[in-house]
Amino acid sequence: MTFLFTDLEGSTRLWEEHPEAMKAALARHDAILRAAIAEHDGQVVKTTGDGFHAAFATAHDAVDAAVATQLALGREPWEGTGPLTVRIGVHTCEAEARDGDYYGTGVNRAARLMGVAHGRQVLVSAATSELVRDRLVELLDLGEHRLRDLGHPERIFQLGHPELVREFPPLQSVDAVPTNLPTVRTELIGRSDDIEALAELVARERLVTLTGVGGVGKTRLALGVAATLAAGYADGCWLVELAPVAGGDEVVKVTAAAMRSPTTDLNALASYLADRRVLIVLDNCEHVLDAAADLVDAVLESAPDVHVVVTSREPLGLDGEQVRRVQSLGVPDEHADPNVARSAAAVRLFTERAAAVADGFEVDAGNVEAVVEICRHLDGIPLAIELAAARVRAMPPAEIAQRLDERFRILAGGSRRSQERHRTLLATVAWSHDLLTEEEKVTFRRLTVFPASFDLAAAEAVAGEGGVDVVECVLHLVDRSLVVFEPETGRYRLLETLRQFGADRLADEGETESIRERHARHFLGLVEHIAPGLLDARLDATQTILTVELDNLRATADWCAEAGWWRELAGMCQELWYFISGTATVDGAAWCQEFVDHGAEVVDQVVVDTLGELAFLHAVNLGNFATGITLSEQSRALAAAHQLEEPPIAWVATALAGQFTGDNATALDASERGVTAAEARGDEHIAVLALSTQVAPLAALGDFERGVDVADEAVRRAERLGQPVGFWSGSNNQYSRQRRRSTHNLHRQPHDNQAHSKV
């Protein structure tokens, strides 16, 4: 295929200066582009902002479309805006077609080619030039140029035509200015939008710091931004690598050497840059943060045309600093459609890197699930994904996925030339960890007992042993990119890779069991404190809290089972009954079963009640009617044998199982017994629930009037409680209207009892 990319030059300025005129102008621009592409048998793949991405079966058609576009744009009057100038890049390559789009490094090369052009200019690659020379097309050889994020240089040609502009400034490639930016040998995947947004920010602001966890791709992103902007800095675009620097006193010396400066004194360096237009990338500053901050502060104070991009695991803390946290690559949902999954950035990265070490590797129906699991468990961290992909040469993705719990052993290696701290996942995480204070290390490893997110109160309760200032440490860990803060929820979490690293440190210190116990005690206390809200007007708020904390509740239940805290486990189930029976059914059934199987050494009321709750979960929520009825009978038999109170929830389980299986007589009898048992125990909530289960059997058995009376009574009782336990909704007036309508229908069709029962 031959791909054509276009971009409208200066569109941001035009929109700001001529907002109304640009609406009509852009519509005309789009019409011209679409007509030229269609007339030459091209296909519009997609529009990109103010540009087009089109595909052609032949290079001839693509080049003809490019010429036709420029001629038509040049002849247009463009009233109200002045001339619209478009730059075009054309490249021929192989590409993968998927879901109406095209993927591959060749497609990116076409886009990068367009990116170094000027308005009214058409650039074609060497591959395209070879295919169109026989069409008497004039091709001006512009030489070899390095393009942003692409591994090898491209020989670029300018398309000539008698009616097209011929003279242009030098191409806006990496080679256009003095620079030491390295040649990048692999494509930067999934960061196009990030580069575009950051490039605009860096062009506008003088100091931008990219932070993020180790291995997330801060350096590659900074290099991509620098390559994009390099042409705009006439005096150079310089990369200063600070990772090898041992101490802060070497920062100025290394910076001066990278920039080919004649002086290594800080003040002299600032003076040297005073009248220069320069872009500096200070890479990996976290271990020399103070010295880097002093350097940047002095340079920005003296040199108004110097812009600085910093990569660090925490900000410099200077006035005017724009901090942007680099996020992990997009990871598909574990149940995503395979085609959607293959398009996700993390999966694309894995595919590209795996194909580089295992010829012919591709993600297909047989391995897509394993690849998605790998990317998800590695948190979308590019370094981790690249290290995992390198293992494809020796083991299939399914086996890599199975061994991810050993990630710090299996993901060792990497390129021989990569920095030592990036050669293994363990090394890059340890680099960050070693920069922490002792108190921060203690807090970090203790936070790993949280299986998912947590709030500051929980962090203090769990990690605060020994006088540690947990809040201050958590805030510092966020700054150091070892803890993620989620502004939308106000909660914190650790990436799984960091959590596993910290959990290993926790085990090394012999603290695992004691901190897990503190975690369990905190959440048992939380349950005891907020569970009453499930029975009153606080229902919604309480359920929201419990849903957010569900992973922590699961960890608490696991600890209770492992530690033999059977009464605590049963107590948690009973406190959370209305939450378990509505939201966390599978978890609740497992917790109840664990207690019944292991914690029932002496039969007492707790055992009987838990067995009744388990019966309800099976019969009602899980659809295991026979199991639910059996468990219900067992609970009542135990109660009778040991002179204990019958669990009313067991009768409700039998009632609903009977209703669902069409045994309405049994259902009605059981629900009546449930009401009696609940009232005997003073449990009005279960009494209302049991009462409500009588309505459907009564209707099915044809006793409509009694059914209506029971329904009214159930609603009255629920409203007196102030909380209908999730079985009713709306006001009494709404219910009454629905009741009258339903009763009317029942009387009209009195013989269709079975149908009404099913409904």
Side-chain angles (χ1 to χ4, degrees):
M1 302 292 293
T2 297
F3 296 100
L4 179 149
F5 278 81
T6 77
D7 179 59
L8 178 58
E9 190 174 55
S11 61
T12 301
R13 175 183 55 80
L14 289 170
W15 276 109
E16 289 180 354
E17 295 177 356
H18 313 287
E20 291 303 318
M22 270 297 285
K23 294 178 183 177
L26 191 61
R28 181 63 185 142
H29 160 277
D30 290 356
I32 290 173
L33 266 292
R34 290 185 185 278
I37 293 167
E39 287 169 7
H40 295 89
D41 298 324
Q43 168 201 356
V44 175
V45 179
K46 59 185 175 183
T47 57
T48 54
D50 297 322
F52 278 73
H53 171 199
F56 297 81
T58 71
H60 295 153
D61 288 337
V63 167
D64 290 346
V67 172
T69 295
Q70 294 291 27
L71 292 176
L73 291 170
R75 294 165 183 161
E76 192 71 20
W78 302 117
E79 296 178 1
T81 62
L84 297 192
T85 59
V86 169
R87 50 185 179 172
I88 299 177
V90 183
H91 176 54
T92 305
C93 61
E94 293 183 349
E96 179 186 357
R98 187 167 69 245
D99 296 334
D101 203 348
Y102 293 89
Y103 299 89
T105 56
V107 181
N108 297 323
R109 187 167 290 270
R112 298 294 183 263
L113 193 64
M114 176 271 294
V116 301
H118 298 278
R120 297 191 178 93
Q121 190 174 34
V122 179
L123 300 181
V124 301
S125 67
T128 302
S129 72
E130 292 297 323
L131 296 171
V132 299
R133 289 184 186 279
D134 61 339
R135 294 290 294 272
L136 301 178
V137 173
E138 183 182 8
L139 296 170
L140 306 177
D141 190 344
L142 302 182
E144 285 195 342
H145 293 262
R146 285 186 296 155
L147 302 177
R148 173 168 60 88
D149 297 332
L150 299 182
H152 59 84
E154 175 67 47
R155 194 165 197 85
I156 298 177
F157 296 83
Q158 178 183 309
L159 194 64
H161 186 278
E163 295 185 46
L164 296 183
V165 178
R166 188 180 183 88
E167 299 298 327
F168 293 95
L171 297 184
Q172 303 176 75
S173 64
V174 177
D175 302 301
V177 297
T179 184
N180 66 343
L181 294 181
T183 298
V184 180
R185 300 182 183 180
T186 55
E187 180 190 357
L188 183 57
I189 294 173
R191 298 297 195 191
S192 298
D193 292 344
D194 293 334
I195 287 178
E196 183 178 349
L198 286 169
E200 291 182 4
L201 181 65
V202 172
R204 186 173 67 249
E205 304 290 344
R206 299 188 60 210
L207 172 59
V208 176
T209 298
L210 305 182
T211 66
V213 65
V216 80
K218 300 183 294 295
T219 298
R220 285 296 308 273
L221 188 54
L223 291 176
V225 171
T228 300
L229 296 173
Y233 294 87
D235 297 303
C237 180
W238 308 106
L239 170 65
V240 182
E241 296 181 343
L242 295 178
V245 172
D249 55 344
E250 297 182 33
V251 169
V252 176
K253 184 194 306 182
V254 171
T255 302
M259 298 174 59
R260 305 167 192 169
S261 165
T263 178
T264 58
D265 175 75
L266 176 56
N267 293 329
L269 178 62
S271 298
Y272 169 76
L273 293 171
D275 58 354
R276 286 174 165 79
R277 182 164 177 77
V278 170
L279 176 62
I280 303 172
V281 177
L282 286 181
D283 190 35
N284 294 302
C285 296
E286 54 272 349
H287 62 304
V288 287
L289 205 63
D290 291 340
D294 291 342
L295 168 68
V296 172
D297 196 32
V299 167
L300 295 183
E301 183 69 25
S302 300
D305 286 331
V306 171
H307 288 216
V308 181
V309 177
V310 171
T311 75
S312 175
R313 298 186 193 181
E314 61 180 301
L316 298 182
L318 295 177
D319 290 342
E321 180 180 24
Q322 302 294 312
V323 180
R324 295 295 182 270
R325 188 172 299 278
V326 180
Q327 303 296 331
S328 299
L329 292 178
V331 177
D333 183 86
E334 57 185 333
H335 303 300
D337 176 87
N339 289 327
V340 174
R342 284 196 290 268
S343 300
V347 175
R348 286 168 48 213
L349 176 63
F350 185 95
T351 305
E352 296 256 348
R353 301 301 187 259
V357 300
D359 187 31
F361 175 84
E362 61 181 26
V363 176
D364 54 28
N367 62 23
V368 65
E369 186 175 335
V371 172
V372 168
E373 183 179 354
I374 291 168
C375 294
R376 285 175 57 79
H377 279 270
L378 294 178
D379 306 302
I381 298 175
L383 171 64
I385 292 171
E386 290 184 352
L387 292 172
R391 290 301 183 223
V392 170
R393 67 161 66 93
M395 63 179 71
E399 186 169 351
I400 296 173
Q402 290 174 0
R403 294 176 178 270
L404 282 179
D405 285 343
E406 312 167 50
R407 70 187 66 187
F408 293 115
R409 181 173 64 83
I410 195 173
L411 302 185
S415 167
R416 278 193 186 88
R417 292 184 177 272
S418 64
Q419 294 173 2
E420 183 60 32
R421 64 189 184 82
H422 275 168
R423 289 192 62 190
T424 68
L425 189 61
L426 177 61
T428 193
V429 176
W431 168 270
S432 293
H433 180 265
D434 291 345
L435 296 174
L436 301 177
T437 66
E438 189 57 38
E439 197 171 61
E440 289 165 353
K441 289 177 182 177
V442 170
T443 302
F444 171 68
R445 66 175 180 253
R446 290 176 178 176
L447 293 177
T448 62
V449 299
F450 292 100
S453 68
F454 54 89
D455 59 22
L456 285 177
E460 285 187 289
V462 172
E465 188 177 25
V468 175
D469 187 345
V470 173
V471 173
E472 192 68 20
C473 286
V474 169
L475 298 180
H476 287 170
L477 291 170
V478 170
D479 287 341
R480 288 157 174 73
S481 302
L482 288 170
V483 170
V484 177
F485 174 62
E486 300 174 328
E488 62 278 7
T489 63
R491 293 173 66 83
Y492 303 81
R493 65 182 176 88
L494 276 68
L495 297 179
E496 180 58 28
T497 297
L498 298 177
R499 198 187 70 79
Q500 191 175 117
F501 176 89
D504 291 342
R505 307 287 84 72
L506 192 69
D508 291 343
E509 295 296 326
E511 290 187 308
T512 302
E513 296 307 304
S514 63
I515 299 302
R516 285 187 67 201
E517 180 177 334
R518 288 175 66 89
H519 177 275
R521 289 189 184 281
H522 172 73
F523 283 98
L524 287 170
L526 177 69
V527 167
E528 184 178 0
H529 177 67
I530 71 171
L534 292 169
L535 301 176
D536 56 33
R538 296 170 293 174
L539 171 66
D540 289 343
T542 304
Q543 286 187 324
T544 298
I545 294 171
L546 293 171
T547 300
V548 169
E549 301 291 6
L550 184 54
D551 286 316
N552 286 309
L553 297 177
R554 288 169 178 153
T556 299
D558 289 344
W559 168 259
C560 289
E562 292 174 27
W565 291 11
W566 302 116
R567 296 291 149 165
E568 288 81 357
L569 179 59
M572 187 171 83
C573 291
Q574 290 170 10
E575 292 272 11
L576 297 179
W577 170 243
Y578 292 111
F579 176 69
I580 288 172
S581 61
T583 301
T585 297
V586 174
D587 293 297
W591 302 341
C592 290
Q593 189 69 57
E594 191 80 49
F595 171 76
V596 168
D597 290 345
H598 302 286
E601 296 177 1
V602 177
V603 176
D604 60 10
Q605 195 65 53
V606 175
V607 173
V608 169
D609 289 345
T610 304
L611 199 56
E613 292 165 356
L614 186 59
F616 182 92
L617 293 174
H618 276 283
V620 179
N621 296 76
L622 300 177
N624 302 326
F625 305 128
T627 301
I629 291 172
T630 298
L631 291 171
S632 176
E633 292 171 348
Q634 288 177 0
S635 69
R636 295 197 301 273
L638 280 175
H642 293 271
Q643 298 182 327
L644 301 169
E645 296 177 324
E646 288 184 328
I649 196 67
W651 282 116
V652 177
T654 299
L656 289 171
Q659 178 184 324
F660 296 153
T661 57
D663 188 354
N664 289 295
T666 297
L668 182 58
D669 178 68
S671 65
E672 290 172 343
R673 291 173 180 266
V675 173
T676 301
E679 290 175 342
R681 295 186 64 170
D683 192 335
E684 186 64 12
H685 291 276
I686 296 297
V688 172
L689 174 57
L691 190 63
S692 71
T693 62
Q694 295 179 25
V695 179
L698 285 168
L701 294 171
D703 195 346
F704 307 122
E705 291 303 323
R706 184 181 170 201
V708 170
D709 291 340
V710 169
D712 282 338
E713 176 63 17
V715 171
R716 280 194 294 271
R717 290 195 186 191
E719 289 179 340
R720 281 202 302 271
L721 291 172
Q723 196 283 313
V725 203
F727 292 93
W728 300 272
S729 63
S731 69
N732 189 43
N733 288 338
Q734 291 172 318
Y735 170 78
S736 297
R737 287 195 296 271
Q738 293 168 350
R739 175 183 61 78
R740 287 195 296 270
R741 184 163 56 249
S742 300
T743 304
H744 176 65
N745 290 336
L746 285 173
H747 281 298
R748 285 182 61 190
Q749 301 180 25
H751 301 296
D752 194 13
N753 296 335
Q754 185 176 4
H756 282 293
S757 179
K758 289 180 181 178
V759 172

